Amino acid sequence: DSAEYYYNLSIDIDPDNALAYAGLASVSLVRAQNGMTPFYESALTGIKFLEKAQELDSAHSEIHFLEASFNTWGTWEFEKAKVEFEKAISMNPNHALLRVYYAHLLCYYKNFNEAIVQAEYALRLDPLNNLVKGIYGMTMNNCRRYEQADSIFNVVLETEPYNAISLSNLKTTYHMQKKYEEAYELWQIDHRNDPEALVAMDRGYKKGGYLQALENLADLMVERSKSAFITPWRICTLYT
């Protein structure tokens, strides 16, 4: 909400500020990614702002980066996204976040070798950036390099114990390695402010272990989704 406020304030001051419109589009995308709004609502809102940004400045690398991101995680048009990522990289080759998110897209194509190249390049460009580290770790997960993912996520969590990206994706790392005790501990941390979820998981764990704990949590989220929006991927991943 604060970001949205300041982007709108920027537009009030300068109605031709392309990056401010791009920022509003990014707010829509982030809200959808975090399950705050349905994807279709965010897409309709975000596209309007993105088109305005393109109209004002179609030659800015950040706008192409955002268009690539929106096509990847907003409308799932991967071919368009790939074109925009490559265009943005050609304009700004030393943009670490741009490269690491491009690596994430390449995993969808199962182009794991190039994804690793891009992710490692991004980490060299900005080795202290925890967001870069987090997306790097996600890329390592996707490439089945779980030891590298484990290492980088834990580096982030040493300085930011509740970093959402690293905390969430380290659960995946442990899950895929069948380190269920470690994964369950992270699920508890992730839901530390949700007593009902903790109770549901605890009952499931006592009844059938880790997988039953996740199934109980999924059932709770399904029930909640009847009266409030919960993004579907947050539910379906619990059944895996």
Side-chain angles (χ1 to χ4, degrees), residues 16 73 106 115 141 149 180 224 226 230 240:
D16 293 330
W73 296 286
L106 290 170
N141 266 350
Y180 294 147
R224 287 179 177 177
K226 295 175 182 178
I230 296 178
T240 60

Side-chain angles (χ1 to χ4, degrees), residues 192-203:
R192 62 194 178 279
N193 297 319
D194 188 344
E196 188 179 18
L198 290 173
V199 169
M201 286 192 293
D202 183 61
R203 286 175 179 166

Side-chain angles (χ1 to χ4, degrees), residues 10-194:
S10 296
I11 292 169
D12 288 341
I13 296 169
D14 179 7
D16 293 330
N17 188 333
L19 290 178
Y21 284 102
L24 288 174
S26 72
V27 169
S28 298
L29 182 58
V30 169
R31 282 176 172 158
Q33 281 290 99
N34 286 281
M36 299 167 69
T37 58
F39 271 99
Y40 69 88
E41 287 184 11
S42 295
L44 290 173
T45 302
I47 286 171
K48 175 182 66 176
F49 292 126
L50 185 54
E51 288 176 346
K52 182 64 176 180
Q54 292 166 330
E55 175 189 324
L56 291 169
D57 188 354
S58 61
H60 201 295
S61 64
E62 287 291 339
I63 292 172
H64 288 287
F65 179 18
L66 179 61
E67 185 170 0
S69 299
F70 208 90
N71 283 327
T72 305
W73 296 286
T75 57
W76 305 292
E77 295 178 277
F78 298 147
E79 283 299 319
K80 289 183 180 179
K82 192 170 186 291
V83 170
E84 292 300 324
F85 268 120
E86 290 171 355
K87 192 178 295 183
I89 289 172
S90 71
M91 294 176 174
N92 190 358
N94 292 324
H95 193 316
L97 279 174
L98 173 55
R99 284 189 179 272
V100 80
Y101 276 111
Y102 180 47
H104 199 42
L105 171 66
L106 290 170
C107 291
Y108 299 164
Y109 284 92
K110 297 186 178 181
N111 189 352
F112 299 124
N113 291 335
E114 182 59 22
I116 291 167
V117 168
Q118 292 292 334
E120 291 182 343
Y121 191 5
L123 195 59
R124 289 196 301 271
L125 286 170
D126 197 354
L128 302 180
N129 188 322
N130 279 349
L131 179 54
V132 171
K133 292 176 187 176
I135 306 303
Y136 172 90
M138 291 175 70
T139 303
M140 294 303 107
N141 266 350
N142 290 335
C143 295
R144 310 297 189 264
R145 294 194 172 195
Y146 300 121
E147 289 186 6
Q148 286 173 262
D150 186 336
S151 176
I152 199 73
F153 290 140
N154 275 295
V155 166
V156 173
L157 293 172
E158 284 177 8
T159 57
E160 287 186 57
Y162 302 123
N163 181 285
I165 289 176
S166 291
L167 186 60
S168 175
N169 286 282
L170 184 55
K171 291 184 300 189
T172 301
T173 307
Y174 288 152
H175 181 97
M176 296 304 294
Q177 293 178 299
K178 297 186 177 181
K179 295 181 178 180
Y180 294 147
E181 294 297 323
E182 293 91 335
Y184 182 60
E185 183 179 342
L186 293 182
W187 278 103
Q188 291 176 305
I189 293 172
D190 206 20
H191 288 81
R192 62 194 178 279
N193 297 319
D194 188 344

